[in-house]
Amino acid sequence: MKKILALLLVTPLIFISCEGDQGPPGPPGEDGLDGGQGRIYEVSVDQFEYIEGDNIYSAIFDFSDVFSESHNVFVYHLLVIEDDQGNPVDSWDLLPYSVFTDQGTFQYSFNHTSFDLEILINGDYDLSNISTAYTQDQIFRVVVTNNTIEEVANINNMEEVMKTLKINNIEQLNIRKN
């Protein structure tokens, strides 16, 4: 019985102390997005460009060093609202979203390729005269991640997205001049 007990205690030690050759290294991950992490870029639009023939406003950003075909992209628009005491509070709204006016409805939306991001304002009426409050000095945050929507907690809440993706810093990105 003692021999069996000794054998049972020694056998695991043999397997633990044996070390074979190290295998080949795995493929490198994407910079900044390893392990399902993500990045957030803050972009400012001083003035959207109005494209009369299409009745849209557009701002294009160069993301050639940021995106790849496998990334998911979420864009949030900063709206400053007031709390119950009248103090300003940052509110980040996920695009697309609609704005309702007396003239009709317009929408902030976006599209992207692997090298750029375009933020658009389009609507169901002539937008050439909408208030500059909607077309000037606008701030957006762009989340770039390998995670799917299902893997991100509450996609409508940018703070929760940052926490889920373990993002602590926000990078600045400048608008590309057309």
Side-chain angles (χ1 to χ4, degrees), residues 25-176:
E30 296 180 49
D31 290 340
L33 296 175
D34 297 331
Q37 300 299 310
R39 285 186 168 165
I40 293 184
Y41 299 90
E42 187 163 292
V43 294
S44 298
V45 178
D46 295 331
Q47 173 67 51
F48 276 90
E49 176 186 358
Y50 181 66
I51 302 170
E52 186 174 353
D54 295 329
N55 189 40
I56 61 171
Y57 286 88
S58 172
I60 298 176
F61 300 88
D62 180 7
F63 269 46
S64 55
D65 297 331
V66 177
F67 292 154
S68 82
E69 297 289 329
S70 66
H71 290 147
N72 291 304
V73 178
F74 309 108
V75 179
Y76 297 83
H77 184 208
L78 174 64
L79 297 175
V80 179
I81 60 173
E82 292 183 356
D83 66 11
D84 294 340
Q85 288 76 39
N87 300 312
V89 177
D90 290 352
S91 173
W92 294 95
D93 287 353
L94 179 65
L95 270 57
Y97 75 89
S98 298
V99 177
F100 302 96
T101 69
D102 292 339
Q103 294 80 26
T105 304
F106 68 88
Q107 183 179 64
Y108 286 94
S109 62
F110 74 98
N111 60 56
H112 71 88
T113 66
S114 60
F115 55 86
D116 68 8
L117 168 80
E118 182 178 28
I119 299 176
L120 300 159
I121 303 173
N122 54 46
D124 62 2
Y125 65 97
D126 179 10
L127 297 177
S128 62
N129 293 319
I130 65 171
S131 170
T132 57
Y134 299 114
T135 62
Q136 293 180 359
D137 302 321
Q138 302 298 306
I139 297 174
F140 298 88
R141 287 193 177 164
V142 181
V143 177
V144 181
T145 182
N146 287 329
N147 295 71
T148 64
I149 290 175
E150 293 81 17
E151 295 170 324
V152 178
N154 178 0
I155 196 69
N156 292 308
N157 184 320
M158 194 182 64
E159 286 77 22
E160 283 188 35
V161 171
M162 289 177 68
K163 188 183 299 182
T164 300
L165 299 177
K166 299 176 183 144
I167 299 172
N168 296 322
N169 66 324
I170 298 169
E171 302 173 50
Q172 298 295 314
L173 196 67
N174 295 320
I175 191 168
R176 179 174 82 193

